[in-house]
């Protein structure tokens, strides 16, 4: 039988596949935000590590998630702040930089993993 080699890049991308449950779209806090901010939030889930964290770099986030949209890094920063103010993400600073924590990310991903085994 032939064995298939999976590239490290592809493996990393596969590890970051996220699932959204239908109730996600019924979240009142999320529903108060603009459609582009909601899309940004979904993108943050895809960019976050396995603990739901990522660097708080609005310009890089804009490029990675909203690259084709006519928004500035400053506007993305404002959307991130709206998500923070809504309690959906936590923006924080550590000794080595600024970060985002997607609130309840680990809990959701654990439930998702248990449901797919």
């Amino acid at each position: 039988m032939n064995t298939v080699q999976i590239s490290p890049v592809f493996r990393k991308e596969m590890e970051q596949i996220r699932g959204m449950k239908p109730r996600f779209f019924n979240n009142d806090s999320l529903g108060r935000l603009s459609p582009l901010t909601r899309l940004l939030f979904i993108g943050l889930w895809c960019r976050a590590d396995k603990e739901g964290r990522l660097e708080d770099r609005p310009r890089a986030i804009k490029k990675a998630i909203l690259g084709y949209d006519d928004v500035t890094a400053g506007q993305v920063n404002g959307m991130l702040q709206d998500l923070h103010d809504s309690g959906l993400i936590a923006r924080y600073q550590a000794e080595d930089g600024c970060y985002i924590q997607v609130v309840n990310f680990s809990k959701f991903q654990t439930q998702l993993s248990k449901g797919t085994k």
Side-chain angles (χ1 to χ4, degrees):
M1 180 180 279
N2 294 338
T3 59
V4 177
Q5 293 289 347
I6 298 175
S7 77
V9 173
F10 182 73
R11 185 180 307 276
K12 183 174 182 349
E13 288 175 357
M14 292 300 293
E15 289 172 355
Q16 290 184 300
I17 290 176
R18 306 290 188 232
M20 303 307 295
K21 293 188 177 189
R23 69 174 177 247
F24 169 85
F25 299 98
N26 293 324
N27 181 308
D28 288 338
S29 296
L30 200 57
R32 291 185 194 97
L33 301 171
S34 74
L36 202 53
T37 303
R38 294 192 298 260
L39 179 61
L40 175 64
F41 183 60
I42 293 169
L44 294 176
W45 281 73
C46 295
R47 303 295 302 174
D49 68 11
K50 66 182 182 177
E51 300 299 324
R53 294 177 302 237
L54 65 153
E55 288 184 272
D56 190 345
R57 296 176 43 220
R59 185 175 168 162
I61 291 170
K62 183 262 183 279
K63 182 179 178 283
I65 299 172
L66 301 174
Y68 293 108
D69 294 292
D70 189 20
V71 294
T72 66
Q75 290 170 309
V76 169
N77 188 50
M79 288 186 262
L80 290 169
Q81 192 59 45
D82 290 343
L83 290 166
H84 173 85
D85 294 343
S86 297
L88 296 164
I89 66 170
R91 298 178 93 180
Y92 65 96
Q93 195 165 0
E95 289 180 17
D96 58 342
C98 297
Y99 298 92
I100 293 169
Q101 172 68 52
V102 178
V103 175
N104 292 326
F105 181 87
S106 296
K107 178 181 175 185
F108 176 79
Q109 290 304 307
T110 300
Q111 291 173 351
L112 180 64
S113 297
K114 287 180 182 175
T116 59
K117 286 185 180 178

